[in-house]
Amino acid sequence: MDLMKECWTGKINTVTLGATEKEGGTRTSQITVGGETALPFLFKEGDIPHAPVIAMEVLDAEPTDWPEVLKKPFGDALKDPVKWAVKCVEEYKARLICVKLIGTHPDFGNKSAADAAKLVKDILQAVKVPLIILGSGDDEKDNTVLAKASEAAKGEKCLIGDATEKNYKTLAASCLADGHNIIGESPIDINIAKQVNILISEMGFPLDRIVVNPTIGALGYGLEYAYSIMERARNAALLGDKMLSMPFICFVGQEAWRAKEAKATSSEHPEWGDESERGPLWEAQTAVAVLQTGGDILVMRHPKAVEEVRKYIDSLMKKG
Amino acid sequence: MALSGLGIYKLLPKTNCKKCGFPTCLAFAMQLAAKKVSLDKCPDVSQETKKALESASQPPIKLITVGSGDEKLEIGNETVLFRHEEKFYHPTGIGFIIEDTSSEEDIKKALGEINKLDFERVGQRINVNIVGISCESKDASKFQVVVKTVLENTKLALALVSDDASFIAKALEASKERVPLLCGATSANYKEMAKLAKDNKVPLVASAPTLEELETLVKNLNTEGVEDIVLDTGKKSIADKLWDLTQIRRLALKKAFRPFGYPVIAFTQNADKFQEAAEASTYVSKYAGIVMLKNRDPWVVLPILTMRQNIYTDPQKPLQVEAKVYEIGKVEDKSPVIVTTNFSLTYYTVEAEVESSKVPTYIVSCDSEGMSVLTAWAAEKFTAESIAKALESFGIKDKVAHKDLIIPGYVSVLSGKLEEASGWKVTVGPREASGIPVFLRNLTK
């Protein structure tokens, strides 16, 4: 019997987050993702030089719709994003922090670009791991907020997003000027994903500083769409499509915690079992699916889910 | 894997004798490939050709049935490596092992819990499928008694787990009508196990620690006359198991490698609940036909079953509900009317939120060809005209004494046009279904 090993010609780009003193930044660690020349965890037919990483999510405004199970591990830190970030790094061993500037959204607090920039500076001061910085999703506001945030983090080699097909120029220009990586977002669509990468790269953006957000759904809530889009994109990349050869970032926590099965208490649904375990597991299982289709950076919320997915990644990376 | 006309031609005598009724062997081969004629028409065909064509006409991965009746489990007969290429057909069976050394009371309790792992999600039943009974007692009579207890207390499919054929034989006496999965054959016991599987017409697990040894074992079982096989590559790390599962699937599909043309069973190695769930979901997404678990807490099993449901959904055909008016709760003529699409996930999410609001409500599910609200709107399958038409054809105006319509927040832009097209007054509802309970309660205040 001859085994069937795929000989891929393509390779996923290697993207590095965080600049240490040597690179002109103030981070004390870096994160490198990508570089795969095989499908996820098939070590016998290619290189998987960098393990997928988990970023813990920090919001600039106290979350209003989080269930108790999710709030509990953070306690009062939810009111103070700097404390929250410190807690993630010190207590929950996060190697990467994702700051989401949701409070700058006109409908959710409308914080100013200056507030956002200050927060980014404060977090950079308080934690020394690399940062991911996200806007609020309001295009107009993001264009001012992210420009300021990018400037505030100049030289730190953050990952900033999201650039979309209709709104990428301002962000790409900022990231270029300030030396950051960029996230290109597409709505579960492989062609748009490619288009966004082309548009960004046409502005002179190096391909190895782009990460793709394929916009996933939670387990049970459309997960399979992103699962297959990611699988298709990863296959195309390994076959040599340079415009799809970017690492994936997946917003696992934000999606998983919208699921009823993650949020509902056991008094509402006794047949589903204890929510203090069920919620984190729902998040962890969403992570498992995206890891199996090539997720490189997972943005997650619950410390228990983070810990368990980290263990899962470690056990896979032992290569048997 | 099916042979092409040319592939079949190579196996024919190539004499163009016309005895088959066709002018040339090639013409006959083309008809054979199109399955329009039978090979019997050729009087000179060799035995080898017959065998080759027979095996070529079989599916690349054999369909295996475990159990009988409504709860039988069918696995295998898969055709692709990636679900986007077509779809995955036979959802992974999820099961548990019960040891025969447990007390009768514990066994009944366990079965009660297992039977309850039966849920409904987006209009589909998702449940566990198989119970394995493992002979730890090394006592055939005891094993048989426990098998009987299990038979009486669950309708799920069964697996008999022991590497000693004499124990399995005794258990089969009590359970063969239920077509249990024998678990299983190894290089040491395959002759005895093969005989039991053949005599009782039940499927058999072939278990070997490496792919090479598995190939030999399956060939030996085939020689013994066993054709209903489930493959197992033994205890492995997750990464190694992933490799085995991938190799078996690739070789069966891409190389028509017959010894691996069967579904695979995987036993989780992690006892920790989180890690076990992650391991199980890995095997569900990557080709396992059966996954046997240790833990059975509903919070562990529900996400695994949900993963299976997601992975085995037909990517070309999103799940849809019938487009019609649904009455949630004790509706009356002043109950609110909500409109949404007929994509199952959308509809059931809305329905669940309406239910939890405790406000009796009509939900008008419009035919959006199974697309979600935003997708359908973008594809012009959820438009002012189509909603107006649905309202008209479902006769909702005869059910209520008002003309107030609630539309999803994401399509607020439809409001004006929809009012014009339908004559209903449009209120824009929340963007996310989770906002529905508060919205409905405020509405009726």
Side-chain angles (χ1 to χ4, degrees), chain B residues 421-438:
Chain B
S422 67
W424 285 63
K425 184 177 165 294
V426 171
T427 306
V428 176
R431 287 178 153 223
E432 300 284 347
S434 57
I436 290 176
V438 172

Side-chain angles (χ1 to χ4, degrees), chain A residues 19 49 154 170 172 175 190 202 239 251 275:
Chain A
K154 190 177 171 81
T170 316
C175 289
I190 193 167
E202 277 173 354
L239 284 167
F251 292 90
E275 76 260 26

Side-chain angles (χ1 to χ4, degrees), chain A residues 1-6 39-45 218-225 227-228 231-232 235 258 260-261 263 271-274 277-278 280-282 284-285 288-289 292 304 308 311-312 315-316 319-320, chain B residues 82-84 119 121 211-212 215 237-240 242-243 246-247 250-251 254-255 257 260 272 274-275 277-279 281-282 285-286 298-300 302-304 306-307 310-311 313 318 343 345 349 352-353 356 432 434:
Chain A
M1 167 186 49
D2 292 320
L3 292 181
M4 264 195 79
K5 293 190 185 176
E6 296 282 357
L39 288 172
F41 311 109
L42 298 183
F43 299 97
K44 290 177 186 163
E45 61 186 17
L219 174 64
Y221 293 86
L223 175 70
E224 70 274 24
Y225 292 91
Y227 183 93
S228 283
E231 228 167 31
R232 281 174 61 194
N235 272 286
R258 286 168 58 191
K260 198 183 184 83
E261 287 87 342
K263 286 197 289 193
E271 76 281 12
W272 290 350
D274 182 4
E277 312 260 33
R278 174 171 24 91
L281 182 58
W282 206 264
Q285 289 281 65
V288 166
Q292 285 302 328
K304 174 74 173 165
E308 294 293 341
K311 268 192 217 163
Y312 170 73
S315 68
L316 276 163
K319 310 174 191 186
Chain B
F82 302 104
R83 57 189 291 283
H84 63 256
F119 309 92
R121 281 199 90 253
L211 291 173
E212 289 74 16
E215 177 191 356
S237 70
I238 305 189
D240 281 345
L242 203 56
W243 179 252
T246 305
Q247 282 302 322
R250 275 186 193 164
L251 285 162
K254 303 285 179 199
K255 296 266 159 125
F257 185 66
F260 289 174
D272 174 84
F274 271 77
Q275 292 304 312
E279 186 186 359
S281 284
T282 306
S285 60
K286 294 294 159 95
W299 64 267
V300 174
L302 179 65
I304 298 170
T306 306
M307 184 74 77
N310 281 174
I311 298 294
T313 296
F343 176 38
L345 185 56
T349 309
E353 296 297 344
S356 80
E432 300 284 347
S434 57

Side-chain angles (χ1 to χ4, degrees), chain A residues 174-189:
Chain A
S174 291
C175 289
L176 265 180
D178 300 324
H180 300 302
N181 303 292
I182 196 168
I183 303 172
E185 176 193 312
S186 43
I188 332 180
D189 186 314

Side-chain angles (χ1 to χ4, degrees), chain B residues 15-259:
Chain B
T15 50
N16 297 335
C17 70
K18 302 189 179 62
K19 286 183 217 160
C20 60
F22 292 91
T24 61
C25 287
L26 183 61
F28 180 55
M30 291 302 172
Q31 295 299 312
L32 276 172
K35 297 197 163 58
K36 286 185 178 158
V37 60
S38 150
L39 186 63
D40 307 340
K41 296 272 179 200
C42 176
D44 303 322
V45 70
S46 68
Q47 277 306 314
E48 292 90 81
T49 303
K50 265 192 188 162
K51 259 201 162 161
L53 286 181
E54 262 166 29
S55 80
S57 68
Q58 284 169 11
I61 298 173
K62 192 166 189 200
L63 183 74
I64 300 294
T65 305
V66 184
S68 59
D70 292 344
E71 302 292 339
K72 72 173 183 230
L73 171 65
E74 291 185 318
I75 48 170
N77 205 7
E78 299 297 338
T79 55
V80 290
L81 277 161
F82 302 104
R83 57 189 291 283
H84 63 256
E85 295 173 322
E86 190 173 320
K87 69 169 189 169
F88 290 174
Y89 285 90
H90 293 97
T92 315
I94 302 294
F96 306 89
I97 303 245
I98 287 176
E99 296 180 351
D100 73 342
T101 42
S102 305
S103 71
E104 187 178 341
E105 193 189 346
D106 284 350
I107 289 170
K108 283 186 175 164
K109 182 167 165 277
L111 290 169
E113 289 168 3
I114 290 167
N115 289 336
K116 268 199 235 158
L117 297 169
D118 194 330
F119 309 92
E120 197 182 300
R121 281 199 90 253
V122 289
Q124 277 188 331
R125 178 185 179 212
I126 55 172
N127 65 319
V128 299
N129 314 91
I130 184 164
V131 177
I133 308 123
S134 139
C135 181
E136 304 297 320
S137 65
K138 309 291 170 210
D139 173 347
S141 313
K142 162 109 179 136
F143 188 39
Q144 193 190 43
V145 169
V146 171
V147 167
K148 279 185 184 157
T149 307
V150 173
L151 282 175
E152 284 159 14
N153 287 283
T154 186
K155 293 188 170 116
L156 300 177
L158 301 183
L160 304 176
V161 184
S162 172
D163 52 15
D164 188 322
S166 68
F167 299 154
I168 298 272
K170 190 87 176 159
L172 265 173
E173 285 172 19
S175 63
K176 67 178 173 205
E177 282 75 26
R178 290 275 289 265
V179 196
L181 175 65
L182 308 191
C183 194
T186 61
S187 60
N189 69 8
Y190 77 88
K191 282 201 170 159
E192 297 81 20
M193 286 291 184
K195 188 167 183 328
L196 285 176
K198 221 171 71 173
D199 291 351
N200 294 284
K201 298 194 176 59
V202 296
L204 175 61
V205 172
S207 201
T210 66
L211 291 173
E212 289 74 16
E213 288 165 86
L214 188 60
E215 177 191 356
T216 310
L217 178 59
V218 172
K219 283 179 171 165
N220 285 336
L221 289 173
N222 288 156
T223 310
E224 297 293 321
V226 179
E227 292 297 338
D228 284 351
I229 296 172
V230 176
L231 308 172
D232 170 38
T233 64
K235 288 185 184 177
K236 293 276 161 84
S237 70
I238 305 189
D240 281 345
K241 191 57 109 180
L242 203 56
W243 179 252
D244 287 355
L245 283 160
T246 305
Q247 282 302 322
I248 289 171
R249 183 75 155 249
R250 275 186 193 164
L251 285 162
L253 293 183
K254 303 285 179 199
K255 296 266 159 125
F257 185 66
R258 300 305 311 173

